[in-house]
Every structure is written in C-alpha cells, then in structure tokens.
Amino acid sequence: MEMLRKILLLWTFLSKKRQRQFWIVISIMMLASVAEIFSLGAVLPFLGAITSPEIVYQHPYMQPFLKLLNIDSVDQLVFPIILAFISLALIAGAIRILLIYVLTRFSFASGADLSVMIFKRTLFKPYEEHIDCNSSEVINGIMTKTNTVIGGIIIPSLNIISAVILLTSILITLLLINPFMTIFTFGMFIIIYATIFVAMKKKLWKNGELIAKQTTNMLRSLQEGLGGIRNVLVDGSQEYYIDFYKFADYKFRRA
C-alpha cells in the first residue's frame, strides 16, 4: 500500500502533457496485448494447417478467401498460410517494439520533468534554506535519485500495468477455451508469486533505503575530496576519502 501511495503521489507531480501521454501508452499496451493473443493463438492452427491443409481447403468459411486468392488446389494453400502466419508474427513483434520504445521514452521524459522541477524549486528557495541544506543531498536528489525513480518506480510500474493488461487478455481467452484448467493454472501462479512477494518485500524496501543513503554518501565523499583537494594533499588524507567512498560504493552496489 505504501508503494501504491507513492505512485499516486508521483502521478500528481506529472505535467498534464505527461498524464495525457500516459493514456496513449495504455492504449498501445492494449493493442499490443491483442496482437500478442492473436500471435500466440495462431501457433496451433498454423501447425494444423501445415500438417493437414486439406481441412482448411475444405472448410466452408475459407471458400470466399480461396476464390479471392485464386487458389484451386491444396498445394497452393501452404504458402499463403505460412505468409499469413509470418505477417501476423511480424506485426505483433513490431507493436511490441513500439510499446518498448514508447514506455522507455515516456519514463525518461517524466524523469527529466521531475529533475527540472526539483532543480527549479531548489533555486527559488530562500537563501536561509540554502545555507541549512546539504549540497550533496540536493545534487543527489536532482540527479541520482531521479534516475532511481525512473528505474525503480516509473518503468516497473508501467511494465506491471502492461503485464496485467496482457495477463487479463490471455486469462479471458483461456477461460473461454477451458475454464477449469485456466483457473487451476493461474491459481498456482498467484500462490507462487504471492509467496515470493511476501518473502522479498522487506528486503527490497530495506535495500531501497540503503541505496538512497549511500548514493548521498558517495557524492559527499566525491565533493569533499575533490572540492577540498588542496587540504587533502596537504593533510595526506586521501586514504580517508577513498575508504569512505569505497564503503558507501560497496554498500550501494550490494543493495
């Protein structure tokens, strides 16, 4: 619920333009799910048509198409079937690539908007607040943590929505074909995923907090070490900053 609350809060910070684009992304997700269903559902009919083309040739519903394509024998039917299947697979693949492109572009555009917004709000703060602020924390928030929001919230959330739309489409289709086996299979998957989610939830949340903390420490070490390089050289305190950065970097990458 905490994650959902943060996602909804993040939504309020998106511009009206990005919110409109979000619904366009959802539309493409739905189109991709339909294409995926057709490409998956065409595999068995395709294999059946290749192994027994005479069944397709004799089917009443196929007669208008056979006349349109001037097909008057079973042998002439194999190539159009293969061509139709390949075309369907390519269309589904193209829509999938388009979805990945749109998802990625939307995610990073939203991240750029958030980064600019944070920088703008920071610059317009009163001078007194700037004195009290830790510059490492501010820079980390503008750059590193914005990237964390993109990779840790926006992209995964969109992928989850896309997966749910595809899953729902497949579920409805399979329920129409075989309700009992569909409910049984999906029930097993839900139990497995729920178990994994419960087992990993606390660990992932802890790692997220650790990443946020250690990125700030890494930036602080770099800023203080390089910003005060004269004193570092005079004092010979290189090892102190190296160890501080090494510890923060190890903790960050381990998380």
Side-chain angles (χ1 to χ4, degrees), residues 4 12 31 37 44 56 80 82-83 98 105 108 118 151 153 167 170 174-175 196 199 203-204 213:
L4 181 60
T12 62
L31 180 63
I37 291 293
L44 289 178
V56 179
I82 295 173
L83 189 63
L98 173 64
R105 189 181 177 96
F108 282 92
I118 295 169
I153 297 178
L167 185 67
I170 293 174
L174 293 179
L175 280 170
I196 294 170
K203 181 67 176 175
L204 290 172
K213 179 182 177 182

Side-chain angles (χ1 to χ4, degrees), residues 167-185:
L167 185 67
T168 304
S169 302
I170 293 174
L171 182 60
I172 292 170
T173 305
L174 293 179
L175 280 170
L176 295 172
I177 298 169
N178 193 327
F180 175 76
M181 282 303 298
T182 302
I183 293 170
F184 176 78
T185 306

Side-chain angles (χ1 to χ4, degrees), residues 234-248:
V234 172
D235 298 341
S237 55
Q238 292 96 330
E239 289 299 326
Y240 167 79
Y241 288 104
I242 291 169
D243 290 340
F244 188 82
Y245 180 84
K246 182 180 178 181
F247 178 81

Side-chain angles (χ1 to χ4, degrees), residues 8-22:
L8 293 174
L9 180 63
L10 182 62
W11 172 263
T12 62
F13 286 109
L14 295 179
S15 64
K16 295 296 182 184
K17 179 183 177 181
R18 298 295 172 219
Q19 290 180 0
R20 287 194 300 270
Q21 288 177 345
F22 171 79

